[in-house]
Structure formats: C-alpha cells, structure tokens
Amino acid sequence: MKRILPFFISILFASVFVFSGCGEFDRNAELKDMLDSNQSSLEETFSEETCEYKMFNDYMTTWAKGSKVDVKYKGKHCTVIVNKATDGCSDEPSTVLLCNLDTTDTASSIGTIATAETALLGPEKHGKITLAITEKEGGRFIGMEEVPDKYLEGDNLINLQPSNSDTVLISGPRHAVCKMHKSGDTTTSSYGNAYEIKMTMPEYTDPYDFVKGNNYPNPINTIGSLLATQKSAGKLFDVAEFSCDYHDGYTPYTARAVIVIDDNHIESFNKKFTKSYESVEKKFDNLETDFVYTFTETDMPESVLDEDVSNNLISLMYTLNTGICLQDEDTGIINASSYIKSIKTKDGDLNITIDLRTRGESYLDNISTEYETTAGLCSTKYSCDKKGLIWLCGDKSYLKEFFTDAVPLLEGDSNISLRTYENDLIAKEHPDQNMIIYTFEGGHKASAMENIVNFMDPDYSK
C-alpha cells in the first residue's frame, strides 16, 4: 500500500495559506492553487486504475485533519466530512456536496473529488457544509447504500459529476412501470431436443446510459431476438421457460430460455446462435467487459408453454419498442427510453415488466399507449403505474435559480437526464430534498468550484 502522508505537504501549505489571512493574492487565485494541490495529491496517491476504498478513506481522514474540518462518518464505502458554519452564519442555508469515487476507474473520479474538496473549504463565510463521498463499484452506487440519511439532509444538495459537457440537471425524468401478463397452461412438447440459451454479463449496468462505451445489451432482448428471428423463419420449437436475474434499477444481468427444438431445425439454431454470439462479442469487445453467452443441450423439461402463450411471447419479443423509444433528430436528445426489467414464465403464465423513463408526461403517455396497443395485439393484459418525476429541484429555489443562471445550459436540453444518479436513491428517502446535479468537463474544474463557492457565500450578490 502506498504511503499517504508525504503527498499532503502541498495541500497543508495551501490550506494554511488560505486561512492565514494573507492578502497577497485574491481569493480565487488561492482557491485555484488549492484545487491544483488537491488534484496533484490525489493523482500521486491513486495512480493505479483501481483502488481499495479503505485506502481512500485513510487518505480523506488525513486530508480532513490537515484542513481543520471534521470527519463525521467513516464507513466501508463512504466518507462524510463537515465544515461547520462560521461565526455568525449558523442560520445560513446548509449545503451538502456529493460526489463518488469509482474504485474500478479511479482516474475518472479524481477531478470531481478535488473540486468538491476545494469547495468544502472555499467560502470565507458560510453555513454548514457537508461533503459526502461515496464509493461506486462496477456501476453500483455501493456507498449510497451505506451513508446515513441524516448526512444527506440539508437546505441544498449539489451532486458533482464528471462529464463531457457543463450543465446543471434540475430534475429526474418521468417514470412508469409497465406490466404485461398472459395467462396460459402447459403442455407436452412434440419435439425431442431440449436446449438452454443463457447470457450473463456484469450485474450493475445503467440501462439509461447511452454514452458510447457504457451502453450494455439487455440479455432478455438478446435471447428474445434470437427466438423471434427463428420463429419468423419458420423454425419449429417450443418455449419451456424464459426467466432472468436482476437488481432493481439495473439491466438484468442474466437471462435464460429453455426451448425444445424439432430434429430438423437444430442445425439452423446453431448457425443463428453463432451469428448472435458474434454480434454480442463485438459489443462487449467495445465495452471491454466479459460476458457469457451459451447454447447448450439440457435435460428434457416435463412441460412447455402452450402454443398461444409461446406465440404471444415471441411476438412481444419481436414488436416491443424498448431501448431508445423517442429521439429528437435535430439535437440527438433522447426523449423516451425503456428496458425490459424482468421476464418470468411459471405454470404456463407469462409476466413481463418494463421500466420507462421520459423527459415529459406526453412522451410517457405516448409510449405507454403504444405498449398497451402491442399488448392488446398479443392478447396480453396490460397495466401501467405512472410514478411522476423521480426527483425534482424546487421550482422557486435559489439553488435552481443560481445554477441555471451560472452554468451554460445545453441547447435544446430540458435539463432532465434519463440516466440513473444518486439523486434517484436520495429521493426515495427524502422526496422533498432540494437538489441538482452539476456536470462539468475535467478542464472546467476551477469554474465549477468557483460557482459552488459563490453559491455558498452569504456575501455573494443574490
């Protein structure tokens, strides 16, 4: 393990200089020097691609001690540091700064953490400022599951995120959970060759992250497409089972179908599976992530889905509009997206759950109506639980007013992201929490830090 202490010399010097009252340089210059020191120290200490969160926790403990701020909570996957309100500012609004450390890709987090550290120390006068850093591991917000709720409560919460563009997000998307159900029975297959098609991939991938290099295929869609293609080509087979494993809020990580194939069509299935495998392999090569996708003989099932349910299952796999549902041709902005969250067959019945996110209520209504029509054509019952916005910044809040004025908004963007962020989880426990997501490029850390410091400064012109 690397030694941490030596890399704090520059930070401690910067911190002492800032709080010494020396007026040789203006405040912004001091803070930029501190930001550079924080960045350099993090880069030197965490130079490897991955790290253990315990090492980072030790680092932040030493940093906090040298910076004269208090570590209030040290968990296995999160760190909470508080800079108490300065004299005379105990009634000023409190601010929570939130960011994460991706322990599987540390370089992607360093700039954001350095910005948050500097902002925590930035204002000369301020209300209570809390910095919560949580671990992100392989796409999972593992630290958010651990940080005590009381440290996420404040008058304002700013979630700092690295990005290829500077903007502020003021709400989550509209959200709905759509369900399809088909009652049926089981029967005995007239074919004699049972095969299992199974696909497994990383467990925690965001189905709403469409950035190139982050967008994973859905195993349910992959297998469903293979079955639909073969059925449309006239290949004879029965479906005995279609199921999946998933974590709530993430793409299913395993899907499994058991089918019974006619003797004359096994070779065709093998060839089609090979093409499907090659397509999946190409996607995962681009993602630089491992997967397992197999087509293997298995024990003969006692029964299969009756023909009506089996045919409707295949039809749904062929016709359901999931993934990117609506996209603006001019701006490229995705207005509606969904994914098949789960599929299950049991005792002849079929159940499918679809998670849907949109940038507006009309988009949500349109896609839900489309799903209802598709379900009707497949003689399948349909229901849709519309849940409203996942999270929302107060319409008349100074937080929203300040940052939408200070940060250049993306042209044509409604400042709503379909992606999954920590704010989604916070809103479940604190639905009234006033919060935003502030994304910024790595080269714009100083501007982001300055905006946050100005926001928290009681003397800054409001």
Side-chain angles (χ1 to χ4, degrees):
M1 181 180 291
K2 293 187 176 182
R3 292 183 53 130
I4 295 175
L5 191 58
F7 300 120
F8 281 95
I9 295 174
S10 59
I11 288 184
L12 296 179
F13 173 78
S15 299
V16 170
F17 185 77
V18 167
F19 293 112
S20 67
C22 178
E24 230 178 296
F25 300 100
D26 65 47
R27 184 65 172 169
N28 285 338
E30 294 176 5
L31 291 176
K32 287 176 183 177
D33 286 343
M34 187 191 293
L35 175 59
D36 290 341
S37 295
N38 286 331
Q39 174 94 15
S40 297
S41 182
L42 284 162
E43 288 174 342
E44 289 182 70
T45 307
F46 303 100
S47 57
E48 302 296 328
E49 183 179 352
T50 63
C51 76
E52 295 292 331
Y53 192 82
K54 183 182 184 306
M55 181 180 178
F56 178 76
N57 223 341
D58 292 341
Y59 174 98
M60 290 306 302
T61 300
T62 306
W63 179 88
K65 183 177 180 180
S67 301
K68 305 294 191 294
V69 286
D70 299 324
V71 176
K72 290 294 185 180
Y73 186 82
K74 284 173 56 176
K76 291 183 179 179
H77 309 287
C78 69
T79 315
V80 179
I81 302 171
V82 172
N83 188 359
K84 295 181 290 187
T86 53
D87 290 343
C89 292
S90 58
D91 293 331
E92 291 294 331
S94 60
T95 303
V96 178
L97 304 177
L98 175 66
C99 62
N100 61 55
L101 170 70
D102 189 339
T103 50
T104 60
D105 181 16
T106 53
S108 67
S109 308
I110 284 176
T112 312
I113 294 171
T115 304
E117 286 177 327
T118 311
L120 176 69
L121 305 177
E124 293 183 285
K125 293 196 295 184
H126 56 82
K128 177 183 175 183
I129 307 174
T130 300
L131 170 58
I133 304 175
T134 62
E135 181 180 2
K136 184 178 181 181
E137 181 187 49
R140 178 186 177 189
F141 297 121
I142 188 170
M144 284 300 299
E145 299 171 8
E146 181 186 64
V147 62
D149 286 341
K150 65 180 180 179
Y151 295 118
L152 298 173
E153 295 175 339
D155 293 303
N156 301 293
L157 185 147
I158 303 170
N159 185 354
L160 286 69
Q161 292 288 329
S163 177
N164 56 6
S165 61
D166 295 6
T167 195
V168 57
L169 305 176
I170 58 175
S171 93
R174 297 276 173 179
H175 180 218
V177 176
C178 311
K179 295 183 178 181
M180 298 181 180
H181 172 77
K182 174 75 175 176
S183 296
D185 206 343
T186 58
T187 186
T188 302
S189 178
S190 56
Y191 310 127
N193 306 281
Y195 282 82
E196 178 192 68
I197 309 170
K198 186 175 182 180
M199 180 175 167
T200 300
M201 62 173 217
E203 293 189 31
Y204 297 96
T205 67
D206 184 358
Y208 297 107
D209 186 354
F210 295 103
V211 175
K212 186 177 181 180
N214 295 342
N215 187 216
Y216 285 77
N218 189 326
I220 296 173
N221 291 85
T222 301
I223 295 175
S225 177
L226 173 62
L227 298 181
T229 300
Q230 288 296 82
K231 181 66 75 173
S232 65
K235 307 308 175 185
L236 301 177
F237 65 93
D238 292 322
V239 178
E241 175 189 345
F242 204 150
S243 60
C244 72
D245 297 315
Y246 69 97
H247 298 297
D248 192 35
Y250 299 93
T251 306
Y253 58 92
T254 298
R256 175 178 182 265
V258 175
I259 59 176
V260 185
I261 310 174
D262 176 76
D263 291 349
N264 298 319
H265 295 143
I266 296 174
E267 183 179 354
S268 172
F269 254 98
N270 267 310
K271 289 181 178 178
K272 201 66 183 178
F273 172 78
T274 298
K275 289 184 178 179
S276 178
Y277 181 92
E278 290 171 350
S279 176
V280 170
E281 184 178 38
K282 184 177 180 180
K283 291 177 182 177
F284 278 90
D285 281 346
N286 293 333
L287 291 163
E288 299 182 347
T289 306
D290 294 331
F291 73 99
V292 176
Y293 187 25
T294 56
F295 177 67
T296 55
E297 284 192 79
T298 190
D299 295 335
M300 192 72 180
E302 294 183 0
S303 62
V304 295
L305 302 178
D306 66 37
E307 185 177 9
D308 187 35
V309 174
S310 180
N311 287 341
N312 282 295
L313 165 59
I314 300 298
S315 295
L316 287 170
M317 291 295 99
Y318 184 78
T319 57
L320 274 175
N321 177 21
T322 58
I324 298 175
C325 303
L326 290 173
Q327 187 170 18
D328 189 288
E329 293 183 2
D330 296 326
T331 63
I333 292 172
I334 299 170
N335 290 315
S337 178
S338 69
Y339 74 103
I340 300 178
K341 179 178 179 178
S342 69
I343 187 168
K344 183 179 181 180
T345 56
K346 185 177 181 181
D347 300 328
D349 292 351
L350 167 66
N351 290 284
I352 295 175
T353 302
I354 300 172
D355 193 271
L356 171 62
R357 293 187 172 197
T358 72
R359 289 180 177 274
E361 191 168 358
S362 62
Y363 299 130
L364 189 143
D365 291 340
N366 289 342
I367 300 300
S368 176
T369 299
E370 178 184 329
Y371 288 158
E372 186 173 19
T373 300
T374 301
L377 293 173
C378 296
S379 304
T380 303
K381 291 182 179 179
Y382 175 79
S383 65
C384 185
D385 182 12
K386 298 179 182 179
K387 298 178 178 294
L389 292 168
I390 292 177
W391 63 272
L392 175 67
C393 183
D395 272 345
K396 296 181 180 179
S397 71
Y398 178 62
L399 176 66
K400 176 181 175 180
E401 177 188 335
F402 179 93
F403 281 97
T404 54
D405 184 57
V407 182
L409 305 183
L410 298 178
E411 184 179 355
D413 197 346
S414 59
N415 296 100
I416 298 172
S417 174
L418 302 186
R419 280 183 58 184
T420 303
Y421 287 103
E422 293 93 336
N423 294 37
D424 299 25
L425 304 178
I426 295 170
K428 290 181 179 179
E429 300 297 328
H430 308 285
D432 298 322
Q433 176 66 63
N434 198 35
M435 55 186 167
I436 62 167
I437 296 169
Y438 187 0
T439 78
F440 52 92
E441 297 179 41
H444 297 168
K445 295 186 297 294
S447 296
M449 176 271 297
E450 185 177 338
N451 283 334
I452 296 168
V453 169
N454 287 340
F455 169 75
M456 297 187 295
D457 185 347
D459 291 339
Y460 188 78
S461 178
K462 290 181 169 64

